Amino acid sequence: QSPNKPTVPQEKIRPLTSLDHPQSPFYDPEGGSIKLVARVVIERIARKGEQCNIVPDNIDDIVADLAPEEKEEDDTPETCIYSNWSPWSACSSSTCEKGKRMRQRMLKAQLDLSVPCPDTQDFQPCMGPGCSDEDGSTCMMSDWITWSPCSVSCGMGTRSRERYVKQFPEDGSMCKVPTEETEKCIVNEECSPSSCLVTEWGEWDECSASCGMGMKRRHRMIKMTPADGSMCKAETTEAEKCMMPECHTIPCLLSPWSEWSDCSVTCGKGMRTRQRMLKSAAELGDCNEELEQAEKCMLPECPIDCELTEWSQWSECNTSCGKGHMIRTRMIKIEPQFGGTACPETVQRTKCRVRKCLRGPGMEKRRWKEAREKRRSEQAKKNIDSEQYPVCRLKPWTAWTECSTLCGGGIQERYMMVKKRSKSIQFTSCKDKKELRACNVHPC
């Protein structure tokens, strides 16, 4: 945190983590190790004053110099339940050069997902057997400095590297450990026009595995292709196996579940999902935990629009002369629901004209007289026909049938059936009669 905002009470010095605080420049919501931003270099001169070397200690040396009580302080939150630490692995160095050893523990439960749990791995600097820091007669040496360039640019030559005394023995004895070593080096084995000039090999990359067996590589570059124009056959990459401290099986380290996604539909039934991530390294053990979940989700019902049948045929005109009207209807198949489109009209009317009705002064009286004379002539004809042919008699009109719908416009029918039909071919007007009318025209 900023020195302008000290904590009260003041916190103890402790290692930084990537989950300390969202305002921290090292903060990472996924956790994990802190990404390297800068490196602080501490230089210490040998205690006896015999040697002052400008090469600084590396980060492992700095960690090794931390006070034991500060290193061992347990700042594990109470909400993180762990198993006991495993035994320390063997040191990665079998000589008096600095190495690492590792121990692991299992995260059994995380009671509060908002409180991050510390790492399940712990590393510690170490040296090979017989090189303990606690031995008063031990001579503490720095790491070897990078090899010098080869003494020749073509063929076989030599190169050297140095290290210096970091701490002389407490008992005052002299250091007998060599501070310089030399080895042969070959650069561009052939020194002919057909040879390919390359640089020396660079330093080895870090091991590809954090524990167990891995691979490491080193590279070099082509300085000049063969003078005779032939292809350069020199290898530019070299790889070899590397062994890190033994791996111990640890459980899956998973991030908390994400929020549920939006429902896959805008109305009705759908699905939604959520995910989580695998935080532990894949090489530390198989993880069979599910990383995605799905469940059903229900939103308000989708609107259902009104659905109608086709229009019926037009009815007969409701008048025998002059202007009148006809109607037609249609039925509701599906009622609208959940805010669906309302039903349109179910009854339609249209004008109709049969024939002109007779009009004028005295017309009604004349019509009545003509009708009376017509009835008399028809009765006389019936009397004559009844003597020669069987009479055509009709039953009274039947009652109107029930309406075909309860609302929205329907049709009723009634019939007049022939009671006694003439057998004469000349008497052709003796037929059943049928009438239609609209009913229940009010909307649903």
Side-chain angles (χ1 to χ4, degrees), residues 148-159 185-192 195-201 220-224 234:
S148 66
C150 196
S151 59
V152 295
S153 60
C154 186
M156 180 175 291
T158 58
R159 65 177 183 175
C185 55
I186 299 177
V187 182
N188 303 307
E189 297 180 8
E190 297 182 11
C191 300
S192 64
S195 64
C196 181
L197 297 182
V198 295
T199 62
E200 292 184 66
W201 286 107
R220 63 181 177 181
M221 299 178 64
I222 297 175
K223 294 172 64 176
M224 185 180 298

Coordinates of all heavy atoms in Angstrom, one line a residue, residues 148-159 185-192 195-201 220-224 234:
S148 N 32.3 -17.2 -19.8 CA 32.8 -16.2 -20.7 C 32.8 -16.7 -22.1 O 32.5 -17.8 -22.4 CB 34.3 -15.9 -20.3 OG 35.1 -17.1 -20.6
P149 N 32.9 -15.7 -23.1 CA 32.9 -16.2 -24.5 C 34.1 -17.2 -24.8 O 35.1 -17.1 -24.1 CB 33.1 -14.9 -25.3 CG 32.6 -13.8 -24.4 CD 33.0 -14.3 -23.0
C150 N 33.9 -18.0 -25.8 CA 34.9 -19.0 -26.2 C 36.1 -18.2 -26.7 O 36.0 -17.1 -27.3 CB 34.4 -19.9 -27.2 SG 35.4 -21.4 -27.4
S151 N 37.3 -18.7 -26.4 CA 38.5 -18.0 -26.7 C 38.8 -17.9 -28.2 O 39.7 -17.2 -28.7 CB 39.7 -18.6 -26.0 OG 39.9 -20.0 -26.4
V152 N 38.1 -18.7 -29.0 CA 38.3 -18.7 -30.5 C 36.9 -18.6 -31.1 O 35.9 -18.8 -30.5 CB 38.9 -20.0 -31.0 CG1 40.4 -20.2 -30.4 CG2 38.1 -21.3 -30.6
S153 N 36.9 -18.1 -32.4 CA 35.6 -18.0 -33.1 C 35.4 -19.1 -34.0 O 34.3 -19.2 -34.6 CB 35.6 -16.6 -33.9 OG 36.7 -16.6 -34.8
C154 N 36.4 -20.0 -34.2 CA 36.2 -21.1 -35.0 C 37.1 -22.2 -34.5 O 38.3 -22.0 -34.2 CB 36.6 -20.8 -36.5 SG 36.3 -22.1 -37.6
G155 N 36.6 -23.5 -34.3 CA 37.4 -24.6 -33.8 C 37.2 -24.7 -32.3 O 36.3 -24.3 -31.7
M156 N 38.2 -25.3 -31.7 CA 38.2 -25.6 -30.3 C 39.0 -24.6 -29.5 O 40.1 -24.2 -29.9 CB 38.8 -27.0 -30.0 CG 38.7 -27.4 -28.5 SD 39.3 -29.1 -28.2 CE 37.9 -30.0 -28.9
G157 N 38.4 -24.1 -28.4 CA 39.1 -23.2 -27.5 C 38.7 -23.4 -26.1 O 38.3 -24.5 -25.7
T158 N 38.8 -22.4 -25.2 CA 38.4 -22.6 -23.8 C 37.5 -21.4 -23.4 O 37.5 -20.3 -24.0 CB 39.7 -22.6 -22.9 OG1 40.4 -21.4 -23.1 CG2 40.6 -23.8 -23.3
R159 N 36.8 -21.7 -22.3 CA 36.0 -20.6 -21.7 C 36.0 -20.8 -20.2 O 36.3 -21.9 -19.7 CB 34.6 -20.6 -22.2 CG 33.8 -21.8 -21.9 CD 32.4 -21.7 -22.4 NE 31.5 -22.9 -22.0 CZ 30.2 -23.0 -22.2 NH1 29.6 -22.0 -22.9 NH2 29.6 -24.0 -21.8
C185 N 35.7 -25.5 -25.2 CA 34.5 -25.1 -26.0 C 34.8 -25.2 -27.5 O 35.9 -25.0 -27.9 CB 34.1 -23.7 -25.6 SG 35.3 -22.4 -25.8
I186 N 33.8 -25.6 -28.2 CA 34.0 -25.7 -29.7 C 33.0 -24.8 -30.4 O 31.8 -24.8 -30.1 CB 33.7 -27.2 -30.2 CG1 34.7 -28.1 -29.5 CG2 33.8 -27.3 -31.7 CD1 34.5 -29.6 -29.8
V187 N 33.5 -23.9 -31.2 CA 32.6 -23.0 -32.0 C 32.9 -23.3 -33.5 O 34.1 -23.2 -33.9 CB 32.9 -21.6 -31.6 CG1 32.0 -20.6 -32.4 CG2 32.8 -21.4 -30.1
N188 N 31.9 -23.6 -34.2 CA 32.1 -23.8 -35.7 C 33.2 -24.8 -35.9 O 34.3 -24.5 -36.2 CB 32.4 -22.5 -36.4 CG 31.3 -21.5 -36.2 OD1 30.1 -21.8 -36.4 ND2 31.7 -20.3 -35.7
E189 N 32.9 -26.1 -35.7 CA 33.9 -27.2 -35.8 C 34.7 -27.1 -37.0 O 35.9 -27.3 -37.0 CB 33.2 -28.5 -35.7 CG 32.4 -28.7 -34.3 CD 31.8 -30.1 -34.3 OE1 32.0 -30.9 -35.2 OE2 31.0 -30.3 -33.3
E190 N 34.1 -26.9 -38.2 CA 34.9 -26.8 -39.4 C 35.2 -25.3 -39.7 O 34.3 -24.5 -39.6 CB 34.1 -27.4 -40.6 CG 33.8 -28.9 -40.4 CD 33.1 -29.5 -41.6 OE1 33.0 -28.7 -42.6 OE2 32.6 -30.6 -41.5
C191 N 36.4 -25.1 -40.1 CA 36.7 -23.7 -40.5 C 37.1 -23.6 -41.9 O 38.2 -23.2 -42.3 CB 37.9 -23.2 -39.6 SG 37.6 -23.2 -37.8
S192 N 36.2 -24.1 -42.8 CA 36.4 -24.1 -44.2 C 35.3 -23.2 -44.9 O 34.4 -22.8 -44.3 CB 36.3 -25.5 -44.7 OG 35.0 -26.1 -44.5
S195 N 31.8 -24.2 -44.2 CA 31.4 -24.2 -42.8 C 30.4 -23.1 -42.5 O 30.4 -22.1 -43.2 CB 32.5 -24.1 -41.8 OG 33.2 -22.9 -42.0
C196 N 29.5 -23.3 -41.5 CA 28.5 -22.4 -41.1 C 28.9 -21.7 -39.8 O 29.1 -22.4 -38.8 CB 27.1 -23.1 -41.0 SG 25.8 -22.0 -40.5
L197 N 29.1 -20.4 -39.8 CA 29.5 -19.8 -38.6 C 28.3 -19.5 -37.7 O 27.3 -18.9 -38.1 CB 30.2 -18.4 -38.9 CG 31.5 -18.6 -39.7 CD1 32.1 -17.2 -39.9 CD2 32.5 -19.5 -39.0
V198 N 28.4 -20.0 -36.4 CA 27.3 -19.8 -35.5 C 27.8 -19.2 -34.2 O 29.0 -19.2 -33.9 CB 26.6 -21.1 -35.1 CG1 25.9 -21.7 -36.4 CG2 27.6 -22.1 -34.6
T199 N 26.9 -18.6 -33.4 CA 27.3 -18.1 -32.1 C 27.4 -19.2 -31.1 O 27.1 -20.4 -31.4 CB 26.2 -17.1 -31.6 OG1 25.0 -17.8 -31.4 CG2 26.0 -16.0 -32.5
E200 N 27.9 -18.9 -29.9 CA 28.0 -19.9 -28.8 C 26.6 -20.2 -28.3 O 25.6 -19.4 -28.6 CB 28.8 -19.4 -27.7 CG 30.3 -19.3 -28.0 CD 31.1 -18.9 -26.7 OE1 31.1 -19.7 -25.8 OE2 31.6 -17.7 -26.7
W201 N 26.4 -21.3 -27.6 CA 25.1 -21.7 -27.1 C 24.8 -20.7 -26.0 O 25.6 -20.3 -25.2 CB 25.2 -23.1 -26.5 CG 25.1 -24.2 -27.5 CD1 26.2 -25.0 -27.8 CD2 24.0 -24.6 -28.3 NE1 25.8 -25.9 -28.8 CE2 24.5 -25.6 -29.1 CE3 22.7 -24.1 -28.5 CZ2 23.7 -26.3 -30.1 CZ3 21.9 -24.8 -29.4 CH2 22.4 -25.8 -30.2
R220 N 21.2 -21.0 -30.1 CA 22.3 -20.2 -30.7 C 21.8 -19.7 -32.0 O 20.8 -20.1 -32.6 CB 23.6 -21.0 -30.8 CG 23.5 -22.2 -31.7 CD 24.8 -23.0 -31.8 NE 24.7 -24.2 -32.6 CZ 25.7 -25.0 -32.8 NH1 26.8 -24.8 -32.2 NH2 25.5 -26.1 -33.6
M221 N 22.6 -18.7 -32.6 CA 22.2 -18.1 -33.8 C 23.2 -18.3 -34.9 O 24.4 -18.5 -34.6 CB 22.0 -16.6 -33.6 CG 20.9 -16.3 -32.6 SD 20.7 -14.5 -32.3 CE 20.2 -13.9 -33.9
I222 N 22.8 -18.2 -36.1 CA 23.7 -18.3 -37.3 C 24.3 -17.0 -37.6 O 23.6 -16.0 -37.8 CB 22.9 -18.9 -38.5 CG1 22.4 -20.3 -38.2 CG2 23.8 -18.8 -39.7 CD1 21.6 -20.8 -39.4
K223 N 25.6 -16.9 -37.5 CA 26.3 -15.6 -37.7 C 26.5 -15.4 -39.2 O 26.4 -14.3 -39.7 CB 27.6 -15.6 -37.0 CG 27.5 -15.5 -35.5 CD 28.8 -15.7 -34.8 CE 29.8 -14.5 -35.0 NZ 31.0 -14.6 -34.3
M224 N 26.9 -16.5 -39.9 CA 27.2 -16.3 -41.3 C 27.0 -17.7 -42.0 O 27.4 -18.7 -41.5 CB 28.6 -15.9 -41.5 CG 29.0 -15.6 -43.0 SD 30.7 -15.0 -43.2 CE 30.7 -13.5 -42.2
A234 N 24.0 -26.5 -39.3 CA 24.2 -26.5 -37.9 C 22.9 -26.4 -37.1 O 21.9 -25.7 -37.6 CB 25.1 -25.3 -37.5

